[in-house]
Amino acid sequence: MLMHKAADRKIRGESFVKEAAQAKLYASEVSREVANEGIQIHGGYGYTKDFPAERFYRDAKLNEIYEGTSEVLRNTIARELLN
């Protein structure tokens, strides 16, 4: 829903910075939490390359860093809320 709201605002020519930052922040953090649960379920095997859980966690963690860290996104959201 956050992504659709950001896309709708972009299509309308409105400012969508806050909505896009919210969508990315939420998606990246939830994906890492879910991947972490997968690692927990697999126990020690979750860290081995024999199971895809290890790769899912690495990819999810990268999403928190790629194109703006979670902290930068939080600052962007706060700045947009104050404007």
Side-chain angles (χ1 to χ4, degrees):
M1 193 68 176
L2 289 168
M3 188 258 330
H4 285 287
K5 185 176 181 182
D8 183 57
R9 291 182 65 91
K10 180 174 173 36
I11 290 168
R12 292 176 190 219
E14 300 171 0
S15 175
F16 62 95
V17 173
K18 178 185 68 160
E19 289 77 9
Q22 288 172 327
K24 184 185 183 309
L25 177 64
Y26 181 76
S28 65
E29 290 194 345
V30 168
S31 68
R32 188 199 35 82
E33 289 174 17
V34 169
N36 188 54
E37 286 298 312
I39 293 286
Q40 293 295 324
I41 289 168
H42 283 83
Y45 291 113
Y47 289 104
T48 68
K49 293 193 179 202
D50 296 336
F51 293 91
E54 174 265 341
R55 194 186 103 236
F56 295 152
Y57 185 81
R58 278 189 295 119
D59 291 348
K61 187 63 183 168
L62 182 62
N63 284 334
E64 285 186 319
I65 300 166
Y66 186 68
E67 288 189 24
T69 65
S70 293
E71 291 79 17
V72 171
L73 291 170
R74 282 187 180 89
N75 288 338
T76 300
I77 294 164
R79 184 179 59 248
E80 291 295 317
L81 287 171
L82 293 173
N83 287 335

